[in-house]
Amino acid sequence: MIGHKLLKLWSSGRSRWRLHEGITRCGKACYSSCNPKVCIVGSGPAGFYTAQHIIKARQDVEVDIYERLPVPFGLVRFGVAPDHPEVKNVINTFTQTAKHSRCSFYGNVNVGKDVSIDELQQAYHAVVLSYGAEGNRSIGVPGEGLAGVYSAKDFVGWYNGLPNCRELSPDLSCETAVILGQGNVALDVARILLSPIDSLKKTDITQPALEALAQSQVRRVLIVGRRGPMQIACTIKELREMVNLPGTRPEMVATDFEGVAEALKDVPRPRKRLTELMLKTALEKPGEKEQERRNKASRIWGFRFFRSPIEVLADPNHNKIAGIRLAVNKLEGSGEGAQAVLTGEEEDVPCGLVVSSIGYKSLSIDPSVPFDSRKAIVPNIMGRVQQAAGLYCSGWLKTGPTGVIATTMNNSFDTARSLMEDMDSGTLDLSAAKPGSQSISALLEKRGVKPVTFSDWEKIDNVEMMRGEASGKPREKLLKVEEMLQVART
Amino acid sequence: MATSAAVRSSMGLTLRLSRVIPDCSTCSLYRLRSCVNSAANLQRTGSADSFRTINRHLQTSIGLYHSEEGSSNAEDPEDVVNVVYIDRSGQRIPVKAKVGDNVLYLAHKHGIELEGACEASLACSTCHVYVNAAHFDKLPEPEEREDDMLDMAAMLQENSRLGCQIILTPELDGIELTLPKVTRNFYVDGHVPKPH
């Protein structure tokens, strides 16, 4: 029967053909099983940008995106700060990709637990790992486990509604908070801790976080880095937001900036502009209006440079932190490669909250996938996983957990190009048809796993937006996976 | 709530009349309810986000939207601005545009692969382009926020600008916009990874 159809189509002279095998139970037309099928693990920016590029590059490829949570978009939803809604506009682009006829989203599927990488590789011509970095680097000092010490990843997850951070309940009853690390995530945390509540009220920050911050006693946030002003990892937009944050004033150590102005001459533009803004904020005498504003400010923020944590100090009477002991460093070398070297001096800073923002970290998803545990990435060359045919990676899993959406976009397009090259050159064997989601869906059903489709997500999306409207927020996020699944099944 | 709804709809009308947001009623994408970028589409769903979206367009996007269907005006030769996009493979793509067109959305209209992740809100650098020397100086100075975003772009050059901030004027006729080539390096901006 099928052979007869094939003959008819070939003889009609069409060089590329599709055999419509009819409509399946789920109402989707099934294209020929000869179409290349790609599976992407992870639905954050890396997953979606890789999918977008693949779909655009070849008219026959079908892409399935698997996501552990019922909801898509990864760090765009759970990492980008609530007061940066424009950065989240990229969701519109991702939505277009998800709704493309050759793209399917399967949420609530835990790759590594519900289905193995091996099973995915059997079902698809290529598997792209884009599951990012869900772990964090530990500080590696005594006292790290005390109450009052949080990773920035968890703190951000808490105010952004990541389900497994729902019960973080950080203690905000202290006056001083110390943030370790000086990247954009550290600045996000500082800004959320010190923002006027009225500006947070209209964002998609979770209601419990909003209530906790409304009661917060935190009035002073120190953002601590091992090296100097010239090595700071944040970018100018975030620094400017701190400088302009209403109700706050900066408090820096002038000696930290010795020699910095002179070193600026040959520095590339981005570093130069960033450092100039820091210098101005730290050293320049403010104009009358600015001085008045600073005098009225009730909240303080500042950078502390050349300090490494060596111990989190406990309050002997209560089982929580009393402060943090810092080692004083000096710099050897200059620029990006400068190294922090211990001087032997130490300094104790009293504080009630420590947020460690020293980096996210990828985890191994499956023992069959090569993993470099020192760099915490999947070893690869241009997105092709080494010693693993048909396996690719994109995003933070590929290059390490740094970079903004634009970086991840370029990174993902690169991986997609490698994949396309391999398809075109025959390196990736496309001659054998693969069953794709048909077999995986059957497997999942047998295992009692019910995927969440993109239109199921849209039900969740609508419920969140409706709930937000009541309080003038863009959305009120559902905080529990069970709640999300409940809405998805309606 | 009724008052704010009234404010929202009158605000929307004002913005449509002043052409800050598109009058989507003439666009086929809107009619098919498949335009996800349409501020008016969001407004129709009644989401509180829509007001914010409109505000964002007012505050941050200096471009005038043009409906996907093309302008209702007849082609006025004085209105025409010739633009050449040079894509990542080096291919030259000449485009006939109009005064007031936004370089990012013009690229989209012609299928040129210029991303605009934040949708012209000055919150990303994905629409980064190089402007040819002859026209670079004719562009108005970037505002501080554009410079801040440009600082994050890979392979920043002297003639770098964000496409979403370039609005075509008659004197920009003949402008050439080159899409930065993304290198095949591990780190696309040539950055050398720091030891952990």
Side-chain angles (χ1 to χ4, degrees):
Chain A
M1 177 59 172
I2 301 231
H4 179 67
K5 272 195 190 148
L6 283 177
L7 217 52
K8 264 181 83 177
L9 284 165
W10 270 118
S11 62
S12 70
R14 287 166 68 181
S15 54
R16 186 170 275 180
W17 52 273
R18 276 207 196 108
L19 187 63
H20 289 257
E21 289 172 16
I23 313 293
T24 62
R25 290 193 308 273
C26 57
K28 245 179 115 170
C30 269
Y31 294 103
S32 161
S33 51
C34 273
N35 282 343
K37 294 196 169 74
V38 175
C39 156
I40 297 181
V41 180
S43 70
F48 268 106
Y49 272 130
T50 309
Q52 176 186 317
H53 204 83
I54 292 171
I55 288 171
K56 224 189 285 195
R58 275 183 74 129
Q59 300 307 308
D60 57 350
V61 183
E62 290 163 34
V63 177
D64 292 337
I65 304 177
Y66 291 88
E67 162 60 50
R68 183 171 57 196
L69 287 170
V71 298
F73 310 133
L75 283 178
V76 179
R77 176 179 165 101
F78 295 116
V80 175
D83 56 351
H84 287 168
E86 313 83 8
V87 179
K88 301 190 199 198
N89 282 347
V90 73
I91 284 176
N92 294 333
T93 308
F94 297 162
T95 298
Q96 277 188 308
T97 300
K99 292 171 105 141
H100 193 283
S101 57
R102 289 185 281 119
C103 185
S104 299
F105 171 79
Y106 297 97
N108 194 41
V109 178
N110 187 330
V111 174
K113 182 167 142 310
D114 297 334
V115 60
S116 70
I117 294 288
D118 196 55
E119 285 165 338
L120 289 176
Q121 286 200 278
Q122 282 177 51
Y124 291 92
H125 293 101
V127 174
V128 184
L129 302 172
S130 315
Y131 61 81
E134 68 189 272
N136 51 260
R137 297 178 63 209
S138 65
I139 317 171
V141 301
E144 188 170 352
L146 282 169
V149 182
Y150 306 97
S151 73
K153 175 187 80 70
D154 289 345
F155 195 82
V156 171
W158 169 70
Y159 66 63
N160 272 338
L162 187 60
N164 62 12
C165 296
R166 187 171 59 89
E167 313 203 292
L168 199 74
S169 308
D171 183 352
L172 305 177
S173 62
C174 54
E175 196 204 317
T176 300
V178 165
I179 302 176
L180 301 172
Q182 296 174 325
N184 283 339
V185 179
L187 263 65
D188 276 357
V189 171
R191 194 178 69 251
I192 297 295
L193 278 172
L194 294 178
S195 280
I197 268 297
D198 283 344
S199 43
L200 293 178
K201 265 190 198 152
K202 297 300 178 191
T203 70
D204 63 7
I205 194 168
T206 66
Q207 197 56 29
L210 190 61
E211 286 166 12
L213 288 164
Q215 306 295 320
S216 164
Q217 303 295 309
V218 175
R219 292 292 175 268
R220 191 163 159 258
V221 175
L222 302 176
I223 309 166
V224 176
R226 290 173 305 128
R227 299 186 293 172
M230 302 280 292
Q231 287 77 37
I232 204 171
C234 64
T235 53
I236 195 169
K237 171 174 177 250
E238 282 71 15
L239 175 60
R240 225 185 269 289
E241 284 171 327
M242 283 311 298
V243 170
N244 296 332
L245 194 59
T248 70
R249 63 177 168 82
E251 181 195 87
M252 312 271 205
V253 175
T255 49
D256 282 349
F257 295 88
E258 273 167 12
V260 169
E262 296 73 30
L264 276 186
K265 265 190 281 77
D266 298 308
V267 153
R269 181 189 120 153
R271 176 63 64 187
K272 187 153 179 240
R273 290 180 77 239
L274 173 64
T275 313
E276 282 170 349
L277 179 58
M278 246 194 301
L279 283 171
K280 179 164 178 247
T281 308
L283 303 178
E284 211 178 80
K285 185 166 152 59
E288 211 183 294
K289 238 176 84 175
E290 170 64 11
Q291 188 59 64
E292 219 187 288
R293 191 194 73 81
R294 289 189 189 184
N295 293 343
K296 284 202 275 212
S298 57
R299 299 177 175 201
I300 303 166
W301 70 278
F303 293 126
R304 291 293 180 272
F305 295 102
F306 311 108
R307 299 289 185 275
S308 294
I310 38 181
E311 189 180 342
V312 179
L313 307 167
D315 177 339
N317 299 323
H318 312 91
N319 192 17
K320 58 178 184 171
I321 86 172
I324 186 164
R325 178 159 293 157
L326 305 171
V328 178
N329 299 325
K330 64 172 194 257
L331 271 193
E332 265 175 22
S334 64
E336 302 289 321
Q339 305 260 8
V341 167
L342 294 171
T343 59
E345 266 182 71
E346 290 175 2
E347 183 184 71
D348 285 356
V349 176
C351 63
L353 175 67
V354 167
V355 179
S356 157
S357 185
I358 58 176
Y360 287 56
K361 196 167 80 166
S362 291
L363 305 179
S364 168
I365 195 172
D366 192 300
S368 66
V369 176
F371 192 78
D372 180 337
S373 27
R374 194 181 61 84
K375 290 192 210 161
I377 57 169
V378 169
N380 69 93
I381 295 177
M382 301 208 284
R384 296 177 176 97
V385 177
Q386 300 195 266
Q387 276 123 36
L391 205 55
Y392 300 79
C393 57
S394 68
W396 281 4
L397 185 62
K398 170 185 172 190
T399 56
T402 57
V404 294
I405 288 177
T407 328
T408 298
M409 178 188 86
N410 288 331
N411 160 335
S412 303
F413 285 175
D414 249 5
T415 294
R417 259 202 296 278
S418 294
L419 178 51
M420 293 299 108
E421 269 172 22
D422 291 352
M423 283 190 174
D424 292 341
S425 69
T427 307
L428 205 55
D429 183 10
L430 299 178
S431 59
K434 295 272 196 172
S437 59
Q438 283 192 300
S439 65
I440 300 297
S441 296
L443 256 178
L444 292 172
E445 199 177 329
K446 251 197 334 206
R447 294 169 186 174
V449 177
K450 200 159 179 279
V452 170
T453 65
F454 202 75
S455 28
D456 291 335
W457 145 247
E458 287 178 312
K459 295 179 208 156
I460 299 171
D461 192 24
N462 284 329
V463 165
E464 290 187 343
M465 289 196 287
M466 249 177 23
R467 291 192 187 183
E469 247 190 277
S471 32
K473 297 164 84 171
R475 71 178 58 241
E476 190 59 64
K477 288 179 183 169
L478 298 184
L479 302 179
K480 294 193 209 173
V481 169
E482 301 78 56
E483 270 186 305
M484 295 174 184
L485 291 176
Q486 213 172 30
V487 172
R489 310 293 177 222
T490 56
Chain B
M1 279 306 281
T3 320
S4 61
V7 170
R8 271 208 296 279
S9 59
S10 76
M11 185 65 174
L13 184 61
T14 309
L15 290 172
R16 271 197 295 285
L17 288 175
S18 59
R19 293 180 78 204
V20 175
I21 62 170
D23 182 359
C24 293
S25 53
T26 58
C27 169
S28 60
L29 282 182
Y30 169 78
R31 274 186 261 120
L32 290 170
R33 304 222 191 308
S34 57
C35 173
V36 294
N37 291 334
S38 163
N41 211 15
L42 290 172
Q43 193 179 29
R44 190 179 46 79
T45 63
S47 144
D49 199 25
S50 65
F51 193 63
R52 176 189 309 260
T53 309
I54 293 164
N55 257 339
R56 248 201 324 274
H57 285 283
L58 189 57
Q59 285 163 14
T60 61
S61 166
I62 61 173
L64 291 179
Y65 258 93
H66 284 265
S67 135
E68 293 285 338
E69 288 289 300
S71 168
S72 51
N73 300 331
E75 279 242 351
D76 179 354
E78 285 181 9
D79 219 22
V80 169
V81 179
N82 291 294
V83 176
V84 176
Y85 288 92
I86 300 163
D87 74 12
R88 291 177 221 279
S89 64
Q91 192 190 12
R92 291 175 67 87
I93 303 156
V95 159
K96 269 194 158 27
K98 280 186 298 300
V99 170
D101 277 349
N102 175 303
V103 157
L104 172 62
Y105 294 112
L106 180 68
H108 288 176
K109 192 168 151 186
H110 292 269
I112 289 152
E113 289 187 352
L114 189 60
E115 288 294 320
C118 76
E119 297 175 0
S121 308
L122 286 178
C124 79
S125 57
T126 58
C127 67
H128 173 209
V129 290
Y130 302 133
V131 182
N132 62 315
H135 291 86
F136 182 71
D137 293 323
K138 297 192 179 139
L139 296 173
E141 284 287 307
E143 58 175 285
E144 193 174 68
R145 292 170 60 205
E146 181 182 347
D147 272 334
D148 286 354
M149 287 300 109
L150 275 171
D151 281 356
M152 309 226 283
M155 294 173 297
L156 187 67
Q157 287 176 183
E158 292 282 341
N159 61 336
S160 287
R161 289 297 301 261
L162 294 184
C164 70
Q165 300 300 299
I166 301 176
I167 306 303
L168 295 176
T169 59
E171 61 178 356
L172 292 178
D173 187 38
I175 192 171
E176 296 190 355
L177 302 159
T178 305
L179 272 56
K181 282 199 204 0
V182 170
T183 65
R184 301 308 303 275
N185 291 341
F186 212 57
Y187 288 85
V188 295
D189 57 357
H191 160 78
V192 174
K194 289 179 281 220
H196 269 129

